[in-house]
Amino acid sequence: MTPHAQVVLPAAVLGELLAHARRAVPNECCGLLIGVTSPTVALSSIDERAVDIQIESSAPARNLRLSPTRYLIDPADHFAAIRTARARGRTVVGGYHSHPSGPPDASTTDHRDASDAAFIYLIVSPGTGAVKAWRLAAGRLGELTIRIVPDRECQTGVPDASDSPTRPAP
Amino acid sequence: MATKILIPTPLRGYTDQLDEVEAEGATVGELLSDLTTRYADLRKHLYAEDGTRRNFVNIYLNDDDIRYLEKDQTPVTADDTLSIIPSVAGGAWS
């Protein structure tokens, strides 16, 4: 177990997030992140534990705010992402949004609206390509380390429910 | 009559880590009332002190947002599935 929580982000997924962010300019984009959290820990103690969060894919969502400075993920898209994740034996591990004209630092609004200690908030800046990950701890969003990996390293060893039963395990 | 309720990741800490539970009731409102009786710690995350449901909590019955059905009065059966979907929001650096 690593001493600090770490977010493992495939380069291809980061590319998708930045492409989404650039398409949405001047508005913010938003969406969900599907993956696995390892090891499984009690959510009530997640702040105190070191865990790795493996992001495997993204699910773009509609921004109901349609704003350059605000986002609200359409709950219907969130619901669809949860169902997609469950069908694959995964979970929605977090969400992402863009800061079109600023750094990917958690804003006052981000701090205020964050509500889930078990949820990762990824922020991307379409202009610079910068990305940072945040998670609520003690009432504030704290930054997490991101490890960007080539896609071939993104093997979690967790069976995918959508895989064919005859397909050999990775 | 028990109906299945799907619990999102952030709330599983209040349902003994279960991702789905069962509750009883003939309407959505009754189901949620039974759910928060069985898992009392969940109540403050779903409801404000005045008893109204928090506005960042979305409830789906099967594929439909209950706001577009009959809200808490929406009838449910044992074959239905209720899902709790928390809102995700924020905004840019300013």
Short mmCIF file of all heavy atoms in Angstrom, two decimals, chain B residues 23-62:
data_model
loop_
_atom_site.label_atom_id
_atom_site.label_comp_id
_atom_site.label_asym_id
_atom_site.label_seq_id
_atom_site.Cartn_x
_atom_site.Cartn_y
_atom_site.Cartn_z
N ALA B 23 -36.18 -2.40 0.84
CA ALA B 23 -37.03 -1.69 1.79
C ALA B 23 -38.47 -1.98 1.42
O ALA B 23 -38.77 -2.48 0.32
CB ALA B 23 -36.74 -0.19 1.74
N GLU B 24 -39.36 -1.64 2.34
CA GLU B 24 -40.77 -1.95 2.10
C GLU B 24 -41.59 -0.67 2.01
O GLU B 24 -41.30 0.32 2.68
CB GLU B 24 -41.30 -2.85 3.22
CG GLU B 24 -40.53 -4.15 3.31
CD GLU B 24 -41.35 -5.27 3.90
OE1 GLU B 24 -42.53 -5.03 4.22
OE2 GLU B 24 -40.82 -6.38 4.02
N GLY B 25 -42.62 -0.73 1.17
CA GLY B 25 -43.50 0.42 1.03
C GLY B 25 -44.29 0.32 -0.25
O GLY B 25 -43.87 -0.38 -1.20
N ALA B 26 -45.39 1.02 -0.32
CA ALA B 26 -46.23 0.99 -1.51
C ALA B 26 -45.94 2.17 -2.43
O ALA B 26 -46.39 2.19 -3.58
CB ALA B 26 -47.71 0.99 -1.10
N THR B 27 -45.21 3.17 -1.91
CA THR B 27 -44.86 4.34 -2.72
C THR B 27 -43.37 4.64 -2.53
O THR B 27 -42.73 4.12 -1.60
CB THR B 27 -45.66 5.58 -2.29
OG1 THR B 27 -45.27 5.92 -0.95
CG2 THR B 27 -47.16 5.35 -2.36
N VAL B 28 -42.86 5.50 -3.40
CA VAL B 28 -41.45 5.91 -3.29
C VAL B 28 -41.19 6.52 -1.91
O VAL B 28 -40.19 6.21 -1.25
CB VAL B 28 -41.09 6.90 -4.40
CG1 VAL B 28 -39.74 7.55 -4.12
CG2 VAL B 28 -41.08 6.22 -5.76
N GLY B 29 -42.10 7.37 -1.46
CA GLY B 29 -41.92 8.02 -0.16
C GLY B 29 -41.86 7.01 0.98
O GLY B 29 -41.04 7.13 1.88
N GLU B 30 -42.72 6.00 0.91
CA GLU B 30 -42.73 4.98 1.96
C GLU B 30 -41.45 4.14 1.92
O GLU B 30 -40.90 3.78 2.97
CB GLU B 30 -43.96 4.08 1.80
CG GLU B 30 -45.27 4.77 2.14
CD GLU B 30 -46.49 3.88 1.93
OE1 GLU B 30 -46.31 2.67 1.67
OE2 GLU B 30 -47.61 4.39 2.03
N LEU B 31 -41.00 3.85 0.71
CA LEU B 31 -39.74 3.09 0.58
C LEU B 31 -38.57 3.84 1.22
O LEU B 31 -37.78 3.27 1.97
CB LEU B 31 -39.40 2.89 -0.90
CG LEU B 31 -39.89 1.67 -1.63
CD1 LEU B 31 -39.26 1.63 -3.02
CD2 LEU B 31 -39.57 0.40 -0.87
N LEU B 32 -38.47 5.13 0.90
CA LEU B 32 -37.36 5.92 1.43
C LEU B 32 -37.47 6.09 2.95
O LEU B 32 -36.47 6.12 3.66
CB LEU B 32 -37.30 7.28 0.73
CG LEU B 32 -36.91 7.21 -0.75
CD1 LEU B 32 -37.06 8.58 -1.40
CD2 LEU B 32 -35.48 6.69 -0.91
N SER B 33 -38.70 6.18 3.42
CA SER B 33 -38.90 6.28 4.86
C SER B 33 -38.43 4.99 5.55
O SER B 33 -37.74 5.02 6.57
CB SER B 33 -40.38 6.54 5.16
OG SER B 33 -40.59 6.56 6.55
N ASP B 34 -38.79 3.85 4.96
CA ASP B 34 -38.36 2.57 5.53
C ASP B 34 -36.84 2.42 5.42
O ASP B 34 -36.19 1.95 6.36
CB ASP B 34 -39.06 1.43 4.79
CG ASP B 34 -38.78 0.09 5.45
OD1 ASP B 34 -38.88 0.00 6.69
OD2 ASP B 34 -38.44 -0.87 4.73
N LEU B 35 -36.29 2.86 4.30
CA LEU B 35 -34.83 2.78 4.11
C LEU B 35 -34.09 3.55 5.19
O LEU B 35 -33.13 3.06 5.79
CB LEU B 35 -34.46 3.34 2.73
CG LEU B 35 -32.96 3.48 2.45
CD1 LEU B 35 -32.31 2.10 2.29
CD2 LEU B 35 -32.72 4.33 1.20
N THR B 36 -34.55 4.77 5.47
CA THR B 36 -33.84 5.60 6.45
C THR B 36 -34.17 5.21 7.89
O THR B 36 -33.51 5.66 8.82
CB THR B 36 -34.14 7.09 6.21
OG1 THR B 36 -35.57 7.29 6.18
CG2 THR B 36 -33.54 7.57 4.90
N THR B 37 -35.19 4.38 8.06
CA THR B 37 -35.42 3.78 9.38
C THR B 37 -34.44 2.63 9.60
O THR B 37 -33.85 2.49 10.68
CB THR B 37 -36.87 3.25 9.49
OG1 THR B 37 -37.76 4.36 9.33
CG2 THR B 37 -37.11 2.60 10.83
N ARG B 38 -34.25 1.84 8.53
CA ARG B 38 -33.31 0.71 8.64
C ARG B 38 -31.86 1.18 8.74
O ARG B 38 -31.05 0.57 9.41
CB ARG B 38 -33.45 -0.20 7.41
CG ARG B 38 -34.80 -0.88 7.31
CD ARG B 38 -34.90 -1.67 6.00
NE ARG B 38 -36.25 -2.15 5.79
CZ ARG B 38 -36.54 -3.39 5.41
NH1 ARG B 38 -35.59 -4.27 5.23
NH2 ARG B 38 -37.80 -3.75 5.22
N TYR B 39 -31.55 2.25 8.04
CA TYR B 39 -30.18 2.79 8.02
C TYR B 39 -30.26 4.26 8.45
O TYR B 39 -30.27 5.18 7.61
CB TYR B 39 -29.55 2.65 6.63
CG TYR B 39 -29.48 1.21 6.17
CD1 TYR B 39 -30.44 0.68 5.32
CD2 TYR B 39 -28.47 0.37 6.63
CE1 TYR B 39 -30.39 -0.65 4.91
CE2 TYR B 39 -28.40 -0.97 6.23
CZ TYR B 39 -29.36 -1.46 5.37
OH TYR B 39 -29.30 -2.78 4.98
N ALA B 40 -30.31 4.45 9.74
CA ALA B 40 -30.61 5.79 10.29
C ALA B 40 -29.55 6.83 9.89
O ALA B 40 -29.88 8.01 9.69
CB ALA B 40 -30.72 5.70 11.81
N ASP B 41 -28.29 6.40 9.77
CA ASP B 41 -27.24 7.36 9.43
C ASP B 41 -27.42 7.94 8.02
O ASP B 41 -26.85 8.97 7.68
CB ASP B 41 -25.86 6.70 9.53
CG ASP B 41 -25.49 6.41 10.97
OD1 ASP B 41 -26.13 6.98 11.88
OD2 ASP B 41 -24.57 5.60 11.19
N LEU B 42 -28.17 7.23 7.21
CA LEU B 42 -28.42 7.68 5.84
C LEU B 42 -29.35 8.89 5.80
O LEU B 42 -29.29 9.71 4.88
CB LEU B 42 -29.03 6.52 5.05
CG LEU B 42 -29.07 6.56 3.53
CD1 LEU B 42 -27.67 6.77 2.95
CD2 LEU B 42 -29.66 5.26 3.01
N ARG B 43 -30.16 9.02 6.84
CA ARG B 43 -31.23 10.02 6.80
C ARG B 43 -30.70 11.43 6.60
O ARG B 43 -31.22 12.18 5.78
CB ARG B 43 -32.08 9.93 8.07
CG ARG B 43 -33.24 10.91 8.04
CD ARG B 43 -34.31 10.64 9.06
NE ARG B 43 -35.43 11.56 8.81
CZ ARG B 43 -36.37 11.37 7.90
NH1 ARG B 43 -36.37 10.29 7.18
NH2 ARG B 43 -37.32 12.27 7.70
N LYS B 44 -29.66 11.80 7.35
CA LYS B 44 -29.19 13.19 7.26
C LYS B 44 -28.54 13.49 5.91
O LYS B 44 -28.36 14.65 5.55
CB LYS B 44 -28.24 13.51 8.40
CG LYS B 44 -26.92 12.77 8.39
CD LYS B 44 -26.04 13.29 9.52
CE LYS B 44 -24.67 12.64 9.53
NZ LYS B 44 -24.68 11.30 10.07
N HIS B 45 -28.19 12.44 5.18
CA HIS B 45 -27.61 12.66 3.85
C HIS B 45 -28.69 12.80 2.78
O HIS B 45 -28.43 13.31 1.70
CB HIS B 45 -26.66 11.52 3.49
CG HIS B 45 -25.46 11.47 4.39
ND1 HIS B 45 -24.33 12.22 4.16
CD2 HIS B 45 -25.25 10.81 5.55
CE1 HIS B 45 -23.47 12.00 5.12
NE2 HIS B 45 -23.99 11.16 5.99
N LEU B 46 -29.88 12.33 3.09
CA LEU B 46 -30.97 12.42 2.11
C LEU B 46 -31.95 13.54 2.43
O LEU B 46 -32.59 14.07 1.52
CB LEU B 46 -31.73 11.08 2.05
CG LEU B 46 -30.92 9.84 1.65
CD1 LEU B 46 -31.86 8.63 1.53
CD2 LEU B 46 -30.19 10.05 0.34
N TYR B 47 -32.05 13.87 3.73
CA TYR B 47 -33.06 14.84 4.13
C TYR B 47 -32.46 15.98 4.95
O TYR B 47 -31.53 15.76 5.74
CB TYR B 47 -34.15 14.16 4.97
CG TYR B 47 -34.95 13.14 4.21
CD1 TYR B 47 -34.60 11.79 4.25
CD2 TYR B 47 -36.03 13.52 3.42
CE1 TYR B 47 -35.32 10.84 3.52
CE2 TYR B 47 -36.75 12.59 2.71
CZ TYR B 47 -36.40 11.25 2.75
OH TYR B 47 -37.11 10.33 2.03
N ALA B 48 -33.01 17.17 4.77
CA ALA B 48 -32.63 18.31 5.59
C ALA B 48 -33.32 18.18 6.95
O ALA B 48 -34.18 17.32 7.15
CB ALA B 48 -33.03 19.61 4.90
N GLU B 49 -32.95 19.06 7.88
CA GLU B 49 -33.51 18.98 9.23
C GLU B 49 -35.02 19.18 9.23
O GLU B 49 -35.72 18.68 10.12
CB GLU B 49 -32.84 20.00 10.14
CG GLU B 49 -31.40 19.63 10.48
CD GLU B 49 -30.75 20.62 11.41
OE1 GLU B 49 -31.45 21.57 11.83
OE2 GLU B 49 -29.56 20.45 11.71
N ASP B 50 -35.52 19.94 8.24
CA ASP B 50 -36.97 20.17 8.20
C ASP B 50 -37.73 19.02 7.53
O ASP B 50 -38.94 19.10 7.34
CB ASP B 50 -37.28 21.50 7.50
CG ASP B 50 -36.85 21.49 6.03
OD1 ASP B 50 -36.38 20.44 5.55
OD2 ASP B 50 -36.99 22.54 5.38
N GLY B 51 -37.00 17.96 7.18
CA GLY B 51 -37.67 16.78 6.62
C GLY B 51 -37.77 16.77 5.11
O GLY B 51 -38.22 15.78 4.53
N THR B 52 -37.40 17.88 4.45
CA THR B 52 -37.46 17.91 2.99
C THR B 52 -36.22 17.23 2.42
O THR B 52 -35.14 17.28 3.01
CB THR B 52 -37.54 19.34 2.46
OG1 THR B 52 -36.38 20.06 2.92
CG2 THR B 52 -38.79 20.03 2.94
N ARG B 53 -36.41 16.59 1.28
CA ARG B 53 -35.27 15.89 0.68
C ARG B 53 -34.28 16.90 0.13
O ARG B 53 -34.66 17.92 -0.44
CB ARG B 53 -35.73 14.95 -0.43
CG ARG B 53 -34.58 14.04 -0.88
CD ARG B 53 -35.04 12.72 -1.43
NE ARG B 53 -36.05 12.87 -2.44
CZ ARG B 53 -37.29 12.40 -2.33
NH1 ARG B 53 -37.67 11.77 -1.24
NH2 ARG B 53 -38.13 12.57 -3.29
N ARG B 54 -33.01 16.65 0.35
CA ARG B 54 -31.97 17.56 -0.10
C ARG B 54 -32.02 17.68 -1.63
O ARG B 54 -32.23 16.68 -2.32
CB ARG B 54 -30.60 17.08 0.37
CG ARG B 54 -30.45 17.10 1.88
CD ARG B 54 -29.05 16.77 2.31
NE ARG B 54 -28.95 16.66 3.76
CZ ARG B 54 -28.83 17.72 4.57
NH1 ARG B 54 -28.82 18.94 4.09
NH2 ARG B 54 -28.74 17.54 5.87
N ASN B 55 -31.76 18.90 -2.11
CA ASN B 55 -31.96 19.11 -3.55
C ASN B 55 -30.86 18.49 -4.40
O ASN B 55 -30.97 18.44 -5.61
CB ASN B 55 -32.12 20.61 -3.87
CG ASN B 55 -30.94 21.41 -3.41
OD1 ASN B 55 -29.91 20.83 -3.06
ND2 ASN B 55 -31.07 22.73 -3.40
N PHE B 56 -29.79 18.01 -3.76
CA PHE B 56 -28.77 17.33 -4.57
C PHE B 56 -28.98 15.82 -4.62
O PHE B 56 -28.13 15.09 -5.11
CB PHE B 56 -27.36 17.67 -4.08
CG PHE B 56 -27.08 17.33 -2.64
CD1 PHE B 56 -26.83 16.02 -2.25
CD2 PHE B 56 -27.07 18.32 -1.68
CE1 PHE B 56 -26.58 15.70 -0.94
CE2 PHE B 56 -26.80 18.02 -0.35
CZ PHE B 56 -26.56 16.71 0.03
N VAL B 57 -30.11 15.37 -4.11
CA VAL B 57 -30.42 13.95 -4.17
C VAL B 57 -31.49 13.71 -5.24
O VAL B 57 -32.56 14.30 -5.19
CB VAL B 57 -30.93 13.44 -2.80
CG1 VAL B 57 -31.37 11.99 -2.90
CG2 VAL B 57 -29.85 13.60 -1.75
N ASN B 58 -31.15 12.87 -6.21
CA ASN B 58 -32.08 12.53 -7.28
C ASN B 58 -32.52 11.07 -7.10
O ASN B 58 -31.69 10.22 -6.78
CB ASN B 58 -31.42 12.70 -8.65
CG ASN B 58 -30.84 14.09 -8.82
OD1 ASN B 58 -31.55 15.03 -9.10
ND2 ASN B 58 -29.52 14.22 -8.65
N ILE B 59 -33.80 10.84 -7.30
CA ILE B 59 -34.34 9.49 -7.12
C ILE B 59 -34.92 9.01 -8.46
O ILE B 59 -35.74 9.70 -9.08
CB ILE B 59 -35.45 9.47 -6.05
CG1 ILE B 59 -34.95 10.09 -4.73
CG2 ILE B 59 -35.96 8.05 -5.84
CD1 ILE B 59 -33.87 9.30 -4.03
N TYR B 60 -34.47 7.82 -8.86
CA TYR B 60 -34.98 7.22 -10.10
C TYR B 60 -35.74 5.94 -9.77
O TYR B 60 -35.26 5.12 -8.98
CB TYR B 60 -33.85 6.88 -11.06
CG TYR B 60 -33.34 8.07 -11.84
CD1 TYR B 60 -32.57 9.05 -11.22
CD2 TYR B 60 -33.64 8.22 -13.18
CE1 TYR B 60 -32.12 10.15 -11.92
CE2 TYR B 60 -33.19 9.32 -13.90
CZ TYR B 60 -32.43 10.28 -13.27
OH TYR B 60 -32.00 11.36 -13.97
N LEU B 61 -36.90 5.78 -10.36
CA LEU B 61 -37.63 4.52 -10.28
C LEU B 61 -37.46 3.83 -11.62
O LEU B 61 -37.92 4.36 -12.66
CB LEU B 61 -39.11 4.76 -9.97
CG LEU B 61 -39.94 3.48 -9.82
CD1 LEU B 61 -39.47 2.67 -8.61
CD2 LEU B 61 -41.42 3.80 -9.70
N ASN B 62 -36.79 2.71 -11.60
CA ASN B 62 -36.38 2.04 -12.86
C ASN B 62 -35.62 3.05 -13.72
O ASN B 62 -34.57 3.51 -13.30
CB ASN B 62 -37.59 1.44 -13.56
CG ASN B 62 -38.31 0.45 -12.64
OD1 ASN B 62 -37.68 -0.28 -11.89
ND2 ASN B 62 -39.63 0.48 -12.64
#
